[in-house]
Amino acid sequence: MLTADAVVKSYAAKDAAAPVLRGVSLAIEPGQFVCVVGRSGSGKSTLLNILSSLLSPDAGSVRYQGRDLAAMTEAERNRLRATDFSMVFQMHHLLPYLTARENVLTPFLSGLRPVSAARRRRAMECLDRVGLADKAKRLPGALSGGERQRVAIARALVTEPRIVFADEPTGSLDGDTGTHIMRLLTELNAEGLTVVMVTHEPAYAAMASRVITMRDGSILHAA
Amino acid sequence: MNILTIPLRNLRRKLLRTLLMVAVFSIGVASVTALLELSKAVGESLEEKLAAYGANILVAPRAETLSVSYGGMALGDVSVDIRSLAEDTTLAAITGIHHQDRLSAVAPKFALLTRVRDTPVGVIGVDFDQELRIKSYWHAASGELTPGDGQLLAGAEAAARLRLVPGAQVDVSGTPFTVAGVLGPTGSGDDAMLFADLHALQRASGQENRVHFVEVAALCSGCPIDEITEQLAAALPGTDVKAMGQVVKSRMMTVDFVKRLALAVSGVILLTACVMIGLSVFSSVNERKNEIGLLRALGYSKSAIFTLMSLEGISLGLLAAVFGQIAGYFGSFRLMALLDLGTAAPVFLPAQFAAVFAAVALLSALASLPPALSAARIEPSQALVML
């Protein structure tokens, strides 16, 4: 479904390019819950961003359903992010001036056509799914950190994606709230959603069906 | 909910800044609206005031050297020879030109020299209806201002010199005329003349259907005086058609100056307002790079981001267009009162409102163009640093 083949990525540094990924290859099958773990600077977030089409590799390729992401037009990549892929970031990144429900609907607000009733219903279902239907009209400022992250997960779910990429979604949360978020992701995965998550918490990684350990830009271990 | 929701909610979130921006832009639009209204009113007021000074085109038979003058026409030795025009064909030709709708008065004249108590005096036959249109400064010092058939109106100086009062009898070419009224002093050649009904004087002199010259008033701001003059000359071969150039030019220059000044000031104000809108959207883009990156990560295209940021600027502009035009329209009443523009008053024109509205929308869109393009160029990968 989603494969990376010999992916190389460097970031420009003062004197020379600093390699971040050194020929990473992996394959993610539908329905998997893949956790990418490793120390800071091991390249796990960069790998996630390349897999989710937010970054382009310097060398190697990423294929989704057989198609090379680099060969896609920008419009196709936009469409991919709007339909098949979804992102959950470490910080919730909700728009502070929209209510929880409106934030969930954000992916549908890119056109002049008003959001359909079906999509509004879908947004409420997603909020209900993360246990926040009763707080749909609240602004992010009136929600706790865990609730905001759950709204961000609802926003990721509203487009009915095939894969959710989560970059340390529990990183800014306390232990209980983090566990609650992980339980939610596990449940969603159990319902068929593919989850690719970056974390540095071994306890959370243990909840995944597959763990990829990275070190210095390479895969050290893939279970 | 649609793409408008995001910019509108963002503007509402930063309410104070939004209100400030709308207020500043509204002042710009209000100034433009007020200046537009003012320039229209000044033009009309000038037209109204300058029209009171008389005609601006003279139609006369082609003549050589004449020594005595009246009303801009050289009469020469009027007792010997004055060339004349046929009244019916001349007036028909004048009122038949293409720009006939721009003619506010067509005043034919028939001039005659007579003697009253052995003093030579000029008698001018006029169409009083037309004459009073171009000589709104005429007023009766005594008696009637519009004499009937067989009656005369005496200029102030002529009345004093010839001791004419209403009811006095004057013999013109053997026909008795009664003085119906005496004009107040005008400071013009009219003071030394007697005025009678055109057709009555023609009959008295036995020269029916003859006129010696015709004064034409074509006073309106933006009137194509040159074209009107050309059309009159073409319609009346064998006549001299003279635009009283200096008067016309000075009128037009005054109106043009006011309009150009209004345009220049409006331009500067709008330019300043546009720069402010642009800076506001630029600042918004810089503050919201994070948000733009997120939207790109959610699948928003570059054009959607461009639209989103442009809509923010356009929304500010449209709000300012509405408030500014309302403020400018009502403000122009006060301004006109302060400037003592007489009866001139602003006129609400829906087409002008729509045109200003559209122009402000366009300017806002143009002002938002650079920041919106800059926002559209933000790549999701750039924003990842912040996400």
Side-chain angles (χ1 to χ4, degrees), chain B residues 33-376:
Chain B
T33 307
L35 284 171
L36 277 175
E37 294 296 338
L38 200 61
S39 101
K40 268 194 299 180
V42 166
E44 283 162 14
S45 173
L46 275 174
E47 180 187 319
E48 186 184 302
K49 285 178 181 173
L50 293 170
Y53 295 111
N56 51 19
I57 298 173
L58 187 70
V59 179
R62 198 162 283 156
E64 297 303 326
T65 308
L66 296 168
S67 55
V68 182
S69 70
Y70 165 70
M73 181 203 175
L75 300 173
D77 186 356
V78 290
S79 61
V80 176
D81 175 41
I82 297 179
R83 297 185 191 185
S84 62
L85 302 166
E87 181 190 346
D88 52 359
T89 52
T90 304
L91 296 188
I94 291 171
T95 53
I97 63 167
H98 178 69
H99 282 317
Q100 56 183 271
D101 55 320
R102 304 291 182 96
L103 306 180
S104 57
V106 178
K109 308 281 192 300
F110 179 82
L112 193 69
L113 197 63
T114 189
R115 283 179 173 273
V116 177
R117 298 190 181 95
D118 291 332
T119 305
V121 63
V123 187
I124 309 296
V126 298
D127 176 337
F128 280 99
D129 280 347
Q130 296 293 316
E131 201 67 15
L132 286 170
R133 285 190 197 180
I134 58 174
K135 291 179 178 170
S136 54
Y137 52 87
W138 271 14
H139 66 280
S142 60
E144 298 291 326
L145 191 59
T146 49
D149 202 357
Q151 290 184 316
L152 278 175
L153 186 64
E157 195 184 326
R161 190 176 297 174
L162 303 172
R163 295 186 298 280
L164 296 176
V165 291
Q169 293 287 313
V170 174
D171 185 84
V172 180
S173 299
T175 305
F177 281 83
T178 307
V179 176
V182 175
L183 278 175
T186 62
S188 70
D190 294 348
D191 291 347
M193 297 289 164
L194 301 178
F195 297 90
D197 175 72
L198 175 69
H199 296 124
L201 197 63
Q202 286 170 342
R203 279 196 304 276
S205 68
Q207 295 183 65
E208 284 164 323
N209 197 35
R210 305 307 297 176
V211 292
H212 292 115
F213 64 101
V214 183
E215 284 182 314
V216 178
L219 291 175
C220 50
S221 49
C223 262
I225 294 290
D226 290 341
E227 284 177 36
I228 292 173
T229 308
E230 282 170 20
Q231 287 168 17
L232 288 173
L236 294 162
T239 61
D240 275 337
V241 179
K242 295 175 191 164
M244 296 178 187
Q246 206 53 43
V247 178
V248 174
K249 275 181 191 165
S250 65
R251 289 170 197 181
M252 299 315 294
M253 275 175 66
T254 313
V255 173
D256 283 351
F257 173 75
V258 171
K259 285 188 174 170
R260 281 179 193 170
L261 184 69
L263 198 67
V265 175
S266 307
V268 171
I269 292 169
L270 275 184
L271 189 69
T272 311
C274 281
V275 169
M276 289 198 67
I277 289 263
L279 287 176
S280 165
V281 180
F282 250 126
S283 141
S284 187
V285 168
N286 284 331
E287 282 172 14
R288 295 160 68 197
K289 274 188 178 162
N290 181 322
E291 184 182 314
I292 293 164
L294 171 83
L295 296 175
R296 293 283 282 129
L298 292 178
Y300 278 51
S301 63
K302 285 182 175 178
S303 63
I305 298 294
F306 175 83
T307 307
L308 204 133
M309 298 314 296
S310 298
L311 283 173
E312 193 166 309
I314 292 170
S315 304
L316 282 173
L318 293 183
L319 278 173
V322 172
F323 292 127
Q325 287 207 78
I326 292 171
Y329 176 71
F330 288 105
S332 57
F333 279 96
R334 180 80 187 126
L335 208 55
M336 284 176 201
L338 284 173
L339 295 175
D340 190 21
L341 288 176
T343 55
V347 181
F348 178 78
L349 300 172
Q352 181 186 302
F353 185 90
V356 172
F357 195 77
V360 171
L362 183 68
L363 283 173
S364 315
L366 286 174
S368 310
L369 192 65
L373 280 173
S374 154

